[in-house]
Amino acid sequence: MRWQWLVVLSSVLGLGSPVLGQGIPLPAAGSSSAVENFSTDGNGLRTEGDWLLPLRSSADRIDGVPDRGWVAVGLLEEQAVTLLDGASGDPLWQAAVGFAPSVVRVDEARQVVYASGPNAPGLVALDLLTGELIQAYGLPAGVLDIAVDGVTGRVFASLPSAQSLAVMAAPLRVSGAQSDPSEQPQARNLPMPGPPLALAYDAQRGSLFVGLAGEDPLSLLVVNPDNGELLARWRGGHTPEAMALDAERQRLVVLNSGSQDLTVLDLSRSGEALQRVGLDWRPTRLALSPDGRWAYVTSRDSDRLQLVDLQTGRLAASLRLQGQPTGLVMLDGRDLWVVAAGIPALRRLQNVEAQAIAARRSREQAALAVRNGGTEPSNGEASQQEGALSPEGAGVVTGRVLDIAGQPVQTGVLHLAATPTQPRQTVRIAADGTYVLPELPAGLYLVDVEVPGFPLTSTQVEVRAGFVSTQDIRLPPGEPTRQPEGIGLLPDEPVYSDELARHLSMALKELQPQRPVLLLKGPLGPDPRFEPLLPLTQGLTLLDRDERYTSDLAKLKVIGDALGLRYILLTQMQISRDYNRQGNSLLNTALRFVAPTVPVEIPNFTPNQLRSRGVVVVVDLQRDRPGDRARYYEAYGRDDVGGDPMFEDAAAGLFRLQVRNMVPVFVQQWQANNPFSG
C-alpha cells in the first residue's frame, strides 16, 4: 500500500512528493534566533555553560548523532522533524511529516532518521543529511518506541494498542532518482503476550529486548525478531517504559515507571539482576553516559533530573530543571540535551556528573554541620541538593491509605511494629490520606493500620536502602462511617442497557431529589469512583432460577458501603430483530468477487420487526438478603408503523427511542409502588 503524504515546503504544497524536507540556511553567528543564556567565541560557536535553545514547538523523545554533535528532535505541534547542530544551535533542516513525531531514532551508519508516534499512521524514514523522505511504512497502530539493528539496518517499533511489534527492513535507496515507497518492503507484525513498551536490540546476540506493560513480574521479553519466537522472560520491574543497552559491558539498564526504580541486568548471565536502584520520582526517559558510569533519568511528574551512579548502585542526586523533563540524549561525552513537557525549548546541561558530585558533597557537608550544631542550608543552597540519598543503609516509605473504592481516607494512624533495633512508632495519616514513615534501616516492617470505620489491618512495607519508595495501602471493606442513602445504577453488558441506566439516572434525580444518584457505568464508561470496584462485578450472578438473590449479593453490599449507596438498580435490555437475510443482491455480487469463498449476507429488516424489553432490578442493600425474591420492573418497546427495509445504523436510532419511551413507564410503576421508601 502506498501512502500519500501532505508535504509542506516553504509555501509549496505537494501530495505524495518524496521530498519531505529542505535545507535551512544557518543564521549568522550571534544571531538572536538562537539561544538564551549562552556566549559565543569569535567563530560563532557556543562556549561553556548551559544553553536554552528555543524550538518552534515542544518535543518528547529526542536522539543524537554523537560523532557529529547533531540532535534530532520531533516537533509535536509543528508535526515536523528537525536536525540541529549541537555546536552552534543552528537548524540543519526541518521536514514536515503530517503527525506529531513523539519518538525519533537515528541510524547513523545508514544516515537515516526514523520518526513516529502513538497517533501516527506509521513510521517514516528521512535522510539524515537532507531531511528528504526515503520510505513510509504503514502500520496498524501507533508507535511508542523504536529500535534499530545496527548491522542489518532493520527497524523495530512497539505497537502497544495492537499488542504487537513491527519489523521493517532498512529502506532502499535508488541512486540518481527518488525511490518509490510503494515498491519497497513493508512492515511485518509479530504478536506479543501484552502491550509492548520499550525496545532495545542486541546485535551481538541477534535478540530484541521488549518491555511489557502491566504488573507481570516477568515483564522483560527476549524475542527472536526473525520469527517472533519468545526466547526468554526476565524480571525487569513493573512497567519497563525505557531501556538502554550497554553493549561494551554486556548490561541492559531498564527504567520501570510502575515500580519507580531502575534495574541493571547482566546479559552474560541470562538477565541476572545486578542492581536495583530506587528513584525519588516516577521515571520517564533514560540515557547513559558513554563510559557506562551514569544513568540520567527524567520524570514527567516533577522538575527533577535524577542521576544514578551505576558504579555504586545508588541515586547520586536529583537536579532541579525548568518544567517537567522528558526526552534526553548525551553528546560529546559530557553534554546532556533535555526537553521538557510543553516547553518549546532544548536545554543543554554541561558536565552534569560534576554537578551531581558537587550537590552530593554539599548535602553531606550540610548534614554534618547540622549534626555538629550548625544550621541547615537556606532554600537556595538546598535547591540543587533535594533528592540525594539518605544515610547509608537507610530509606523512607511513603504512600496513601485508600478505601476499597480507591478514595483516600481522611483520618487514622499507622503503628510501626517494634524490631530488635527500632522501637514501636506511631505515624498519623494526613487529611489527604498520605503517610510518611520515618527514615529506617533497610528491611521488611509490619505496620498496623487503624482507621475509624474499618477493621484493624496489618500489612508489610519494604524499606530499600538509599531511596524513597512508594507503597499505597488499601483497606478491606468495613462498616461505613455514614448511613448509606444513595442510589446507584449498574447496567449489564448487552447493548442499550447503559442507555437505559443513563436515562433512568436523570429521571431518579427528579423522582428522589433527597438522595444522591450515581451512574456507576454509562455509555462513556465507568464512573471514576466506581472503577476500582469493577472487578467485583465480573462473573456476578445475582439471581437464581427462582429469581431469588444469590450469595453474590454480598458483592453489591461492598460496592454500596464503599460509595454510600442504599439501593443499586441493575438494568438490562433485551432486543429482537427478525432479520431478512436476502440482503442487497447487487452488493452481494460485488463482494463475492473480492471474497468468493465467503457467503455475504447483509441483514435488513422493517421497523415493525423491532422489539425490546427493559428490566430493572431494585436491590435494597440494607434489607435484602440471599434467598429473598427479587423486585424487578419491566417495560416494552416496539415499532408497528411498517416501512421499507433498513440496516443496523438506522435500527439503532429506533432502539434508542424505545429506551427513552420506557423511562416514563418505570417512573409510573415506582410512583405507584415506591421501592425507595426505606
Side-chain angles (χ1 to χ4, degrees):
M1 178 184 69
R2 180 173 182 174
W3 282 13
Q4 289 185 323
W5 293 84
L6 184 62
V7 182
V8 182
L9 300 179
S10 298
S11 59
V12 181
L13 295 179
L15 185 61
S17 168
V19 181
L20 203 64
Q22 63 175 351
I24 299 176
L26 302 181
S31 168
S32 61
S33 66
V35 182
E36 301 175 4
N37 302 328
F38 68 86
S39 60
T40 62
D41 61 16
N43 298 319
L45 298 180
R46 275 64 180 177
T47 57
E48 299 297 323
D50 294 348
W51 308 349
L52 185 64
L53 174 63
L55 300 174
R56 296 179 63 90
S57 73
S58 62
D60 188 357
R61 298 194 183 195
I62 59 178
D63 202 4
V65 187
D67 291 347
R68 305 195 185 198
W70 295 346
V71 185
V73 181
L75 303 175
L76 300 180
E77 292 80 16
E78 283 282 302
Q79 296 192 350
V81 177
T82 187
L83 186 69
L84 304 173
D85 184 351
S88 65
D90 296 324
L92 303 178
W93 52 258
Q94 179 170 317
V97 294
F99 57 83
S102 60
V103 54
V104 295
R105 188 72 67 197
V106 175
D107 182 357
E108 188 175 1
R110 289 163 185 79
Q111 298 187 346
V112 178
V113 178
Y114 297 99
S116 190
N119 298 317
L123 180 143
V124 294
L126 308 175
D127 189 286
L128 177 64
L129 302 180
T130 65
E132 296 181 353
L133 174 66
I134 303 173
Q135 172 71 6
Y137 301 88
L139 299 177
V143 174
L144 188 65
D145 196 12
I146 301 172
V148 177
D149 179 353
V151 177
T152 66
R154 288 181 300 176
V155 188
F156 312 103
S158 61
L159 315 177
S161 61
Q163 266 190 217
S164 66
L165 298 175
V167 181
M168 295 150 281
L172 301 176
R173 296 175 184 262
V174 180
S175 59
Q178 294 293 340
S179 62
D180 184 352
S182 65
E183 298 177 356
Q184 301 194 36
Q186 293 296 313
R188 179 168 53 94
N189 287 336
L190 303 177
M192 292 288 107
L197 302 178
L199 302 177
Y201 182 73
D202 184 358
Q204 179 176 336
R205 294 171 176 78
S207 301
L208 183 67
F209 301 110
V210 183
L212 292 185
E215 300 183 2
D216 192 330
L218 300 176
S219 59
L220 189 62
L221 308 183
V222 185
V223 178
N224 181 352
D226 296 331
N227 53 18
E229 179 186 3
L230 184 60
L231 302 177
R233 296 192 71 157
W234 295 346
R235 293 184 180 274
H238 177 196
T239 315
E241 195 167 342
M243 287 190 287
L245 179 67
D246 185 354
E248 182 178 347
R249 295 160 190 82
Q250 288 297 290
R251 299 184 304 182
L252 182 67
V253 182
V254 184
L255 196 65
N256 307 299
S257 62
S259 51
Q260 198 170 310
D261 57 21
L262 180 147
T263 307
V264 182
L265 305 179
D266 188 345
L267 300 181
S268 63
R269 292 190 287 181
S270 301
E272 179 182 339
L274 296 174
Q275 295 171 336
R276 182 185 178 192
V277 183
L279 303 170
D280 285 346
W281 304 94
R282 192 173 303 279
T284 305
R285 304 284 184 255
L286 169 70
L288 297 182
S289 62
D291 61 2
R293 166 74 183 274
W294 298 91
Y296 312 99
V297 179
T298 60
S299 172
R300 67 168 62 93
D301 298 327
S302 75
D303 59 355
R304 308 306 171 90
L305 173 68
Q306 302 176 90
L307 280 77
V308 178
D309 187 344
L310 297 179
Q311 181 173 313
T312 62
R314 294 173 61 86
L315 178 62
S318 294
L319 304 180
R320 187 188 297 273
L321 302 180
Q322 292 183 355
Q324 297 178 341
T326 55
L328 71 171
V329 66
M330 171 67 73
L331 294 181
D332 302 327
R334 64 171 188 170
D335 293 346
L336 191 67
W337 294 84
V338 185
V339 292
I343 298 179
L346 184 65
R347 178 178 294 275
R348 188 195 78 166
L349 305 175
Q350 193 173 56
N351 208 3
V352 183
E353 297 90 342
Q355 297 184 43
I357 294 172
R360 182 174 60 185
R361 288 176 178 172
S362 177
R363 182 178 177 86
E364 291 172 351
Q365 292 173 0
L368 179 61
V370 171
R371 287 196 297 268
N372 293 335
T375 59
E376 295 185 6
S378 65
N379 291 338
E381 294 172 326
S383 62
Q384 293 292 324
Q385 303 166 9
E386 295 180 21
L389 288 177
S390 305
E392 188 74 31
V396 175
V397 178
T398 183
R400 297 180 302 166
V401 181
L402 309 172
D403 61 22
I404 193 171
Q407 302 300 309
V409 301
Q410 298 179 347
T411 184
V413 293
L414 274 63
H415 300 289
L416 187 65
T419 68
T421 59
Q422 296 289 325
R424 178 180 173 88
Q425 302 180 57
T426 298
V427 175
R428 290 194 174 277
I429 301 172
D432 60 357
T434 59
Y435 72 91
V436 178
L437 296 182
E439 197 169 82
L440 297 167
L444 290 175
Y445 291 84
L446 182 65
V447 175
D448 293 330
V449 186
E450 186 177 344
V451 176
F454 292 88
L456 184 65
T457 303
S458 295
T459 186
Q460 277 189 331
V461 297
E462 180 183 4
V463 177
R464 290 180 285 179
F467 70 98
V468 179
S469 60
T470 301
Q471 181 173 336
D472 291 343
I473 300 174
R474 192 175 294 271
L475 299 175
E479 292 299 322
T481 57
R482 63 189 185 280
Q483 186 71 12
E485 292 294 341
I487 300 175
L489 291 100
L490 179 62
D492 67 354
E493 294 303 324
V495 292
Y496 309 114
S497 182
D498 53 358
E499 283 282 341
L500 178 59
R502 180 173 68 89
H503 287 292
L504 286 176
S505 68
M506 294 184 290
L508 282 169
K509 290 178 182 178
E510 298 182 2
L511 184 65
Q512 294 285 313
Q514 75 280 10
R515 297 183 186 275
V517 177
L518 180 62
L519 180 60
L520 301 178
K521 189 168 63 172
L524 299 180
D527 185 278
R529 291 165 289 181
F530 172 67
E531 192 166 8
L533 301 169
L534 269 175
L536 291 174
T537 65
Q538 295 177 358
L540 181 69
T541 304
L542 187 63
L543 302 178
D544 60 16
R545 294 182 178 180
D546 296 328
E547 298 178 352
R548 296 180 182 275
Y549 292 119
T550 68
S551 58
D552 279 0
L553 184 64
K555 297 180 179 180
L556 293 187
K557 184 72 165 57
V558 171
I559 295 174
D561 289 346
L563 301 179
L565 304 177
R566 166 72 185 270
Y567 303 93
I568 289 184
L569 277 59
L570 297 101
T571 63
Q572 184 184 73
M573 280 292 297
Q574 302 167 359
I575 61 176
S576 172
R577 312 174 181 86
D578 293 326
Y579 286 133
N580 175 354
R581 294 190 175 275
Q582 293 178 355
N584 185 308
S585 57
L586 180 62
L587 183 59
N588 282 346
T589 302
L591 289 176
R592 286 193 178 98
F593 279 109
V594 179
T597 61
V598 179
V600 179
E601 294 178 340
I602 310 299
N604 57 30
F605 36 83
T606 59
N608 59 14
Q609 293 172 315
L610 303 181
R611 300 288 184 270
S612 61
R613 173 180 180 244
V615 179
V616 179
V617 178
V618 179
V619 182
D620 186 337
L621 297 175
Q622 292 188 9
R623 294 183 177 179
D624 291 332
R625 297 290 184 270
D628 292 349
R629 188 174 295 277
R631 295 185 307 280
Y632 66 91
Y633 302 83
E634 298 175 289
Y636 296 88
R638 58 187 298 166
D639 291 280
D640 292 323
V641 296
D644 296 329
M646 63 176 61
F647 295 98
E648 183 65 40
D649 55 347
L654 291 180
F655 278 124
R656 290 191 174 92
L657 180 61
Q658 292 179 15
V659 168
R660 289 196 297 270
N661 292 337
M662 290 179 184
V663 174
V665 177
F666 287 115
V667 171
Q668 291 176 3
Q669 296 178 28
W670 294 336
Q671 289 174 335
N673 180 18
N674 185 8
F676 313 110
S677 58

